[in-house]
Amino acid sequence: MKTDAIRIERPTTNSQLFAHTRWDAVPAAAGLFHLAYLFGLYFLFPHAPLSVMLILGFVYSLMVNANINGVGHNFIHNPFFRSQLLNRLFGITQSIACCFSQTMYDAVHMQHHKGNSDRQDEKGDTIDWLSIYKHGHDGEAENPWSYVFLSFFRDDVGAIRKDLRKRKNGDEFWGNIELAAFATTLLVMAIIVPSNPIHFINWQFMLYFLPFWYLGHCFSYLNGYYRHYGANPDKPIAWGVSSYGIIYNWLFFYNGYHAEHHFRPKVHWTKMEKFRLSIEHLQKQEDVRTIKHAHMLGFLDRGLPRRTQGQGNAVGAFVPNAQSK
């Protein structure tokens, strides 16, 4: 299979603002809406019933997942704006909305593409820091429970900073700016209660907000798990698992086409459907895995392969309907 000969169509535009297509105004607006939603939670909290805030908090968690895997993800591979400064400023808004550094996410995600959820080597290491095999045993993927709920705490900040430092393009500086931006935002939210009159020490809001922030990142790792569970780390065209639901891909800006994305990471989200059609025959030949559900609900798919531990056949807790492929 001559994969290098596969043509990738790149969008072009005469826009003075957008680098690739004016359609990138949509994910950019979605990212800014997420930021506004965060501030809305903060200002609404002293005035709305807890029952309403719990619903809105859960929606924020879902938005963190959609932002990281839709807006932020596409922004990494195809920055939206011609202006480098605008891209940096948008990265700051992303960092505040999701409460993490967009530039550091870039480093982690690029490492993800270097390893493509690879299996452990003879030393027990993986190239991909996010590999579902990194903390697995006996060549198997990690249990989804631990992957989803522990990955949030596993980032190696030192390794991320080292990677950014090697780039020598200002990424380390801007990563620190982003960290300071969201940390300062959270600090202000923790100190000032936006009531009339203003009060101080907003511990109730932080007690409310932080679990939903964490849950949003757990949802993101759940997405990541089923975007690679059942894929083939040894075949480039089958490095990911795809899901083609229309609404799902509209909301996540076509990151559901995940096998296609790992095969050619620079394909723009507006060209993903056309790219899939161009390689569909190759995907069938190589048995590229697809699921019917959105990746966050991938554990509901009836065709999931079984997880095994050693010589056993223990099925992962998130795959209640798993069957041998």
Side-chain angles (χ1 to χ4, degrees):
M1 180 174 60
K2 296 181 179 180
T3 59
D4 292 336
I6 295 174
R7 181 173 178 271
I8 300 174
E9 183 178 353
R10 303 282 291 165
T12 58
T13 180
N14 59 2
S15 170
Q16 297 300 307
L17 179 61
F18 295 101
H20 306 286
T21 169
R22 288 179 173 87
W23 279 108
D24 279 335
V26 180
L32 294 176
F33 176 77
H34 185 202
L35 178 64
Y37 190 93
L38 169 62
F39 288 125
L41 287 181
Y42 169 66
F43 286 107
L44 188 61
F45 184 79
H47 312 287
L50 181 60
S51 58
V52 172
M53 294 307 301
L54 290 176
I55 295 172
L56 295 177
F58 184 74
V59 172
Y60 173 78
S61 297
L62 295 176
M63 291 175 71
V64 169
N65 176 32
N67 191 333
I68 291 174
N69 293 287
V71 178
H73 175 259
N74 280 290
F75 183 66
I76 286 174
H77 290 283
N78 295 292
F80 301 151
F81 305 106
R82 291 190 185 277
S83 167
Q84 179 68 2
L85 178 60
L86 271 183
N87 284 325
R88 293 297 192 184
L89 293 176
F90 185 76
I92 292 175
T93 67
Q94 282 289 100
S95 301
I96 296 173
C98 296
C99 296
F100 76 157
S101 166
Q102 173 72 26
T103 302
M104 291 187 174
Y105 170 33
D106 184 312
V108 174
H109 191 70
M110 288 298 99
Q111 193 71 20
H112 172 57
H113 276 281
K114 290 178 182 177
N116 298 287
S117 204
D118 54 325
R119 296 188 180 94
Q120 294 176 1
D121 59 21
E122 62 277 1
K123 297 180 180 179
D125 297 325
T126 60
I127 297 172
D128 178 4
W129 297 334
L130 298 176
S131 176
I132 62 175
Y133 297 96
K134 184 174 179 64
H135 297 278
H137 301 283
D138 302 315
E140 294 295 330
E142 181 180 2
N143 185 290
W145 285 102
S146 57
Y147 185 86
V148 169
F149 292 109
L150 296 181
S151 290
F152 179 84
F153 305 102
R154 290 171 172 168
D155 280 341
D156 186 340
V157 178
I160 295 172
R161 288 183 183 278
K162 182 179 179 180
D163 181 85
L164 295 180
R165 199 175 300 121
K166 287 193 301 183
R167 297 181 181 187
K168 297 181 179 180
N169 61 356
D171 277 1
E172 184 184 19
F173 170 79
W174 284 98
N176 290 332
I177 292 292
E178 291 165 355
L179 285 177
F182 87 74
T184 300
T185 301
L186 289 182
L187 181 61
V188 171
M189 289 180 172
I191 293 175
I192 301 176
V193 182
S195 57
N196 189 16
I198 290 177
H199 292 84
F200 295 96
I201 310 303
N202 200 9
W203 65 269
Q204 290 177 314
F205 175 76
M206 298 309 294
L207 186 63
Y208 153 81
F209 172 74
L210 292 178
F212 285 117
W213 168 51
Y214 168 68
L215 181 62
H217 286 268
C218 289
F219 283 156
S220 178
Y221 287 115
L222 179 59
N223 245 319
Y225 189 90
Y226 286 103
R227 282 178 175 158
H228 291 278
Y229 181 74
N232 189 336
D234 301 317
K235 289 184 179 181
I237 200 170
W239 274 335
V241 175
S242 289
S243 175
Y244 300 123
I246 295 176
I247 296 177
Y248 168 50
N249 279 288
W250 284 351
L251 292 174
F252 282 74
F253 299 100
Y254 287 84
N255 199 14
Y257 287 60
H258 212 64
E260 294 82 359
H261 171 66
H262 270 268
F263 189 46
R264 290 293 185 270
K266 293 298 287 185
V267 174
H268 194 271
W269 64 272
T270 58
K271 301 295 183 181
M272 194 60 76
E273 286 183 293
K274 188 173 182 179
F275 178 64
R276 182 212 170 190
L277 292 175
S278 72
I279 63 170
E280 192 172 15
H281 63 292
L282 295 175
Q283 291 180 314
K284 290 179 179 178
Q285 290 176 15
E286 300 297 329
D287 197 25
V288 174
R289 182 168 182 76
T290 63
I291 57 176
K292 294 182 178 179
H293 298 85
H295 288 100
M296 197 174 83
L297 301 175
F299 54 87
L300 297 176
D301 197 80
R302 291 185 176 273
L304 288 178
R306 291 179 179 271
R307 286 183 63 255
T308 60
Q309 297 296 334
Q311 300 301 315
N313 289 309
V315 180
F318 270 96
V319 287
N321 298 316
Q323 299 173 356
S324 297
K325 185 175 177 181

